[in-house]
Amino acid sequence: SAVISQKPSRDICQRGTSLTIQCQVDSQVTMMFWYRQQPGQSLTLIATANQGSEATYESGFVIDKFPISRPNLTFSTLTVSNMSPEDSSIYLCSVAAAGGYNEQFFGPGTRLTVL
Amino acid sequence: RKEVEQDPGPFNVPEGATVAFNCTYSNSASQSFFWYRQDCRKEPKLLMSVYSSGNEDGRFTAQLNRASQYISLLIRDSKLSDSATYLCVVLMNTGFQKLVFGTGTRLLVSP
């Protein structure tokens, strides 16, 4: 499986500010995904990020709040804009496995606390 | 109805016990199914994919019942290191590879 890293691993931010999270993969991948895991809950897909096209957002998530970049096949960023305490969460990127069975592998996550 | 439902547990079992987790999903067009394991404060890691015919990997056995839209995971001879949250995950047939996660079942294996 691909090796995925995320930066920062954690951050504490003031409300109203923005944070950009980076996701780096050690191999080229077509599809990358961004998820949120709120405290005590399971993962929710925010958006799918494909290289060379706009990200596709899930219901409840909008580009103005969570802009995503995907400049190449090994890198993506997620920005959490105009943060509020409700954005405190773990943000994870994932990549689809090569081949045909649709597994995804996850980065270590970014733990965000908004004060 | 939630798209993927699991019993949240926790399941408290002694070492060596056999434990089974169940999961139901609502979208009959779902194509792929997985069990992930998530340790505390860590990312989810793929435990096993679930094939139509059922599959086994060492102490772990996964079963799929498409007619009942039901997935199961059986862990035999539980180890302390099996303590974790087990996530039932379904690939939705939306044209994109959208994974939908259950809320997870927490397992605590004690000595």
Side-chain angles (χ1 to χ4, degrees):
Chain A
S1 61
V3 176
I4 307 166
S5 60
Q6 285 186 234
K7 288 182 182 179
S9 59
R10 60 178 63 228
D11 209 341
I12 301 174
C13 301
Q14 297 294 325
R15 69 174 67 208
T17 63
S18 298
L19 176 71
T20 296
I21 302 167
Q22 299 178 4
C23 179
Q24 180 77 52
V25 190
D26 70 342
S27 57
Q28 294 186 336
V29 293
T30 303
M31 300 183 77
M32 295 179 75
F33 307 85
W34 286 98
Y35 289 82
R36 179 173 75 181
Q37 187 171 27
Q38 294 180 301
Q41 300 194 23
S42 195
L43 282 77
T44 301
L45 180 64
I46 297 171
T48 302
N50 295 323
Q51 194 265 340
S53 63
E54 292 267 327
T56 302
Y57 288 83
E58 294 297 307
S59 175
F61 298 97
V62 295
I63 188 171
D64 290 347
K65 176 66 176 177
F66 297 102
I68 287 171
S69 79
R70 182 79 200 274
N72 57 51
L73 292 174
T74 63
F75 186 79
S76 178
T77 67
L78 170 76
T79 298
V80 186
S81 303
N82 188 24
M83 288 184 284
S84 66
E86 292 71 36
D87 294 320
S88 297
S89 189
I90 300 172
Y91 292 86
L92 300 110
C93 68
S94 74
V95 303
Y101 212 68
N102 302 313
E103 299 98 337
Q104 291 181 21
F105 299 99
F106 287 82
T110 295
R111 185 176 294 272
L112 171 62
T113 302
V114 184
L115 302 176
Chain B
R1 183 183 174 189
K2 289 184 182 176
E3 291 178 290
V4 180
E5 293 203 64
Q6 293 182 253
D7 182 339
F11 283 49
N12 291 284
V13 303
E15 265 186 299
T18 295
V19 61
F21 303 138
N22 303 318
C23 169
T24 57
Y25 60 95
S26 62
N27 187 335
S28 60
S30 300
Q31 295 297 311
S32 302
F33 309 89
F34 311 94
W35 285 100
Y36 278 73
R37 169 191 170 132
Q38 187 171 28
D39 292 282
C40 189
R41 303 176 81 86
K42 298 285 190 180
E43 75 273 21
K45 294 191 174 169
L46 180 66
L47 179 65
M48 56 197 306
S49 302
V50 185
Y51 305 128
S52 295
S53 55
N55 48 300
E56 185 174 311
D57 183 2
R59 298 182 292 109
F60 299 85
T61 301
Q63 295 280 344
L64 169 64
N65 183 324
R66 284 189 185 271
S68 301
Q69 296 180 203
Y70 171 93
I71 307 157
S72 66
L73 176 68
L74 184 76
I75 304 176
R76 290 181 299 278
D77 188 23
S78 299
K79 312 291 185 191
L80 296 177
S81 57
D82 293 333
S83 297
T85 297
Y86 290 83
L87 302 168
C88 176
V89 184
V90 175
L91 182 77
M92 291 299 174
N93 186 16
T94 62
F96 290 95
Q97 290 183 320
K98 177 181 176 180
L99 293 184
V100 178
F101 285 74
T103 52
T105 299
R106 192 164 171 219
L107 173 65
L108 300 171
V109 182
S110 53

